[in-house]
Amino acid sequence: MAIDRPKPREDAGWRAAADAMFAPYDRKRGVHQQAAGFTEQPEWDFANTGEDDYPLLLHFPYLELYRKQVVKQADLVLAMLRCPGDFTADEKARNVAYYEARTVRDSSLSASAQAVLAAEVGHLDLAYDLFAETALQDLEDLGDKTADGLHLASLAGAWLVVAQGFGGLRDDRGVLSFDPRLPRRITRLAFSLRWHGHRLRVTLTPEGARYELPDADPEVTVELWHHGELVRVTGGPATRPMPLPDPRTRTPSCGT
């Protein structure tokens, strides 16, 4: 089957559009805006929104929703996941808290991105709850839509929460790095990925992280970073301790 490739002019247009994209920053509130002017709009009245009013997109006109500080899915949080090096740790923490209070997750695509960033900034209980929402989207029919088909992107998002959220996996700088942290309700977590042709298995417990190459020849070496420390994995497993949770971190809630 032949696949049509973008024409050079079309490809250049998409690249130009990508280069022109940016996330506006509200200096007064110290957060990025999901859309230009978003943080200047009136707040949504969550206190007087009943349970039967959700999902909002089915009960309120888009013109009303777009003029308030309420979002269907946390696109700004997704931007931080896709471009982690473009945001500081403090910016990520403030953005996570701000958008957690204003995101209703009418889209099943939102919880996984929010879970990854919640784990990164230390809100592990929140990350666990969002992970459960992602993984159970169809098993529990959370959106009352499973009869119409599976939410495959949400299912894939569950793996992203495991690897990128609790495993802290990042490769945006061309190197493999892990900053693992486990919520208290998970006592063991294991996943595998392929890196430069080799299968790397990662096992996490509250005591430590274990990295190993179960299928590789003994002379094969894979370099990775564990919480800023260079680790070389060869014929035998490499283990490193897990960091202690930061007691100053609190979970954001609606109204933050």
Side-chain angles (χ1 to χ4, degrees):
M1 180 179 67
I3 299 177
D4 293 333
R5 297 187 179 277
K7 297 179 180 179
R9 182 178 299 178
E10 179 183 356
D11 183 68
W14 279 109
R15 292 183 182 278
D19 291 340
M21 293 185 68
F22 71 101
Y25 187 72
D26 183 338
R27 296 185 180 277
K28 177 181 177 181
R29 296 170 178 80
V31 297
H32 289 84
Q33 297 178 325
Q34 177 150 311
F38 176 82
T39 55
E40 300 296 333
Q41 297 177 162
E43 296 278 2
W44 183 264
D45 187 5
F46 285 104
N48 292 311
T49 303
E51 292 184 5
D52 293 338
D53 291 328
Y54 294 93
L56 297 184
L57 61 84
L58 297 182
H59 296 90
F60 297 91
Y62 278 110
L63 284 178
E64 183 176 355
L65 295 171
Y66 289 163
R67 291 170 177 167
K68 299 290 179 61
Q69 287 196 51
V70 60
V71 292
K72 165 185 168 183
Q73 59 193 42
D75 293 333
L76 192 280
V77 174
L78 179 60
M80 295 192 296
L81 173 59
R82 296 298 302 156
C83 306
D86 292 339
F87 301 86
T88 68
D90 287 342
E91 288 172 345
K92 290 177 182 178
R94 290 195 298 270
N95 287 337
V96 166
Y98 194 85
Y99 286 96
E100 172 60 25
R102 293 161 178 83
T103 303
V104 294
R105 290 193 294 282
D106 285 347
S107 168
S108 62
L109 301 176
S110 191
S112 58
Q114 289 179 269
V116 172
L117 266 296
E120 179 177 340
V121 302
H123 301 310
L124 295 178
D125 288 339
L126 173 61
Y128 181 89
D129 290 341
L130 291 167
F131 169 59
E133 182 177 322
T134 302
L136 298 176
Q137 185 65 227
D138 290 311
L139 291 173
E140 296 290 343
D141 196 9
L142 298 181
D144 195 25
K145 296 179 181 178
T146 302
D148 297 325
L150 297 178
H151 294 75
L152 293 180
S154 183
L155 292 173
W159 189 90
L160 293 180
V161 179
V162 169
Q164 295 185 313
F166 304 136
L169 166 66
R170 298 292 185 274
D171 65 348
D172 56 296
R173 294 172 296 172
V175 297
L176 197 61
S177 64
F178 296 88
D179 293 305
R181 47 184 65 82
L182 288 180
R184 53 189 173 83
R185 285 174 283 183
I186 295 181
T187 58
R188 184 180 183 276
L189 189 66
F191 61 92
S192 296
L193 64 144
R194 188 164 294 277
W195 179 254
H196 292 181
H198 304 293
R199 184 165 72 97
L200 174 69
R201 184 166 180 80
V202 181
T203 304
L204 307 175
T205 66
E207 290 72 35
R210 176 187 177 101
Y211 305 99
E212 54 190 326
L213 302 168
D215 308 321
D217 295 332
E219 64 271 14
V220 171
T221 299
V222 169
E223 292 187 348
L224 57 87
W225 292 85
H226 170 88
H227 283 286
E229 176 191 356
L230 178 62
V231 177
R232 292 182 173 86
V233 186
T234 55
T239 59
R240 291 295 186 275
M242 294 282 277
L244 295 175
D246 187 345
R248 298 169 299 174
T249 301
R250 68 180 182 86
T251 299
S253 60
C254 189
T256 297

